[in-house]
Amino acid sequence: MNAPLGGVTAGPYVVELRGVRKVYGGGVEALRGVDLAVERGELAAIVGPSGSGKSTLLHLVGTLDRPTSGTVRIAGHDVDGLSDRELSALRARDLGFVFQQFHLAPGVSALDNVADGLLYTGTPRRARRERAAAALERVGLGHRLDHRPNQLSGGEQQRVAVARAVAGDPPLLLADEPTGNLDSASGVEVLEILRGLHASGTTIAIITHDADIAEWCPRRVRMRDGRVVDDSGTGSGARPPAPILKGAAR
Ligand code: ADP
């Protein structure tokens, strides 16, 4: 391959799935032909009952797994054409992840937790720490740089996780039930941060089973039995999300 991450095409889509199927060992068909395109700058909720294929979809979009058939293009890269090493590079550069569990390293300061997330981008140490401090500032934790996870509230820990996910300015942020472990006030804080990131141009996909969060997102993609059964559509992201969540996040 000539280009380090070959197969790049410029285009409006950060995520492009065409006819994606995923069959797990044992024959479970988790995705049964999914077409989904997410444009730059959208804030989309992926919703659906347990077992509908949301996590599988997130894993494929996050390039943590490959489809059984169909094509997955992320930030213009055809995942099928990339080696595992190239996929790691793509993840480090183009994707940020936030999970329900915060996945912070214990005993390590907030600053280092975020800075270490940039290790695989090849950024020099000093620049990593500067970017980490700026990202923590962005999530309102500029005064907590030296705190370790056990010295932070759940909401603060999730904000550190968001800072880690966006410190490298990835074009796409994937969040899997990001408020699932938080009390409602902390959940609203995290959503406010996501709203701010969306306003500054980050594309965000949130997996959620929370109807209030889904309603708050400008776009909703509804899944059932491995298929997209309803989609408010690309471009519906033009409506900015309301500043304050109507119901409290659960
Ligand atoms: P959701 O996130 O909507 O709950 P999942 O993507 O986790 O849905 O699961 C979709 C289907 O795929 C379910 O039937 C689930 O049991 C199955 N599944 C998920 N992961 C695996 C796996 N690693 N091996 C086998 N089956 C799996």
Side-chain angles (χ1 to χ4, degrees):
M1 193 176 299
N2 297 326
L5 276 172
V8 184
T9 52
Y13 299 120
V14 181
V15 175
E16 271 183 279
L17 305 187
R18 304 280 171 224
V20 166
R21 289 176 61 248
K22 179 68 185 179
V23 183
Y24 287 113
V28 177
E29 202 171 351
L31 295 179
R32 300 163 184 256
V34 168
D35 295 311
L36 178 67
V38 178
E39 280 185 14
R40 277 177 212 287
E42 285 200 89
L43 169 54
I46 315 285
V47 298
S50 180
S52 58
K54 304 184 297 297
S55 301
T56 301
L57 184 74
L58 184 93
H59 276 85
L60 294 180
V61 171
T63 75
L64 299 164
D65 202 356
R66 296 173 187 267
T68 305
S69 61
T71 59
V72 175
R73 294 179 72 79
I74 303 300
H77 302 282
D78 194 337
V79 166
D80 200 32
L82 301 181
S83 66
D84 286 347
R85 201 164 57 82
E86 288 168 327
L87 285 184
S88 301
L90 182 147
R91 278 195 296 277
R93 198 196 47 214
D94 292 329
L95 294 169
F97 293 91
V98 176
F99 298 99
Q100 182 171 348
Q101 315 289 343
F102 320 127
H103 293 304
L104 300 178
V108 174
S109 71
L111 185 72
D112 285 329
N113 258 290
V114 176
D116 289 353
L118 294 168
L119 271 174
Y120 302 102
T121 61
T123 313
R125 182 168 187 272
R126 191 197 172 104
R128 283 203 305 272
R129 293 173 69 82
E130 283 170 5
R131 293 183 84 157
L136 284 162
E137 197 74 54
R138 256 172 116 179
V139 300
L141 290 177
H143 60 305
R144 294 276 191 268
L145 303 186
D146 296 328
H147 284 57
R148 293 189 290 277
N150 65 0
Q151 299 171 311
L152 298 169
S153 70
E156 288 173 330
Q157 290 183 59
Q158 190 62 309
R159 280 150 65 191
V160 173
V162 172
R164 180 180 54 191
V166 300
D169 268 329
L172 177 61
L173 177 62
L174 299 172
D176 191 356
E177 302 281 5
T179 63
N181 261 348
L182 303 178
D183 60 78
S184 57
S186 303
V188 168
E189 275 175 23
V190 166
L191 292 174
E192 278 295 317
I193 288 164
L194 296 182
R195 191 173 74 91
L197 291 168
H198 168 65
S200 64
T202 306
T203 310
I204 305 176
I206 305 178
I207 285 193
T208 184
H209 65 271
D210 185 314
D212 287 334
I213 296 176
E215 197 50 46
W216 172 80
C217 285
R219 179 179 181 188
R220 281 166 301 284
V221 176
R222 207 168 292 281
M223 298 194 63
R224 188 169 205 99
D225 297 332
R227 292 192 174 89
V228 173
V229 291
D230 190 29
D231 184 351
S232 60
T234 292
S236 55
R239 169 175 76 80
I244 297 163
L245 208 59
K246 233 170 40 196
R250 282 182 294 270

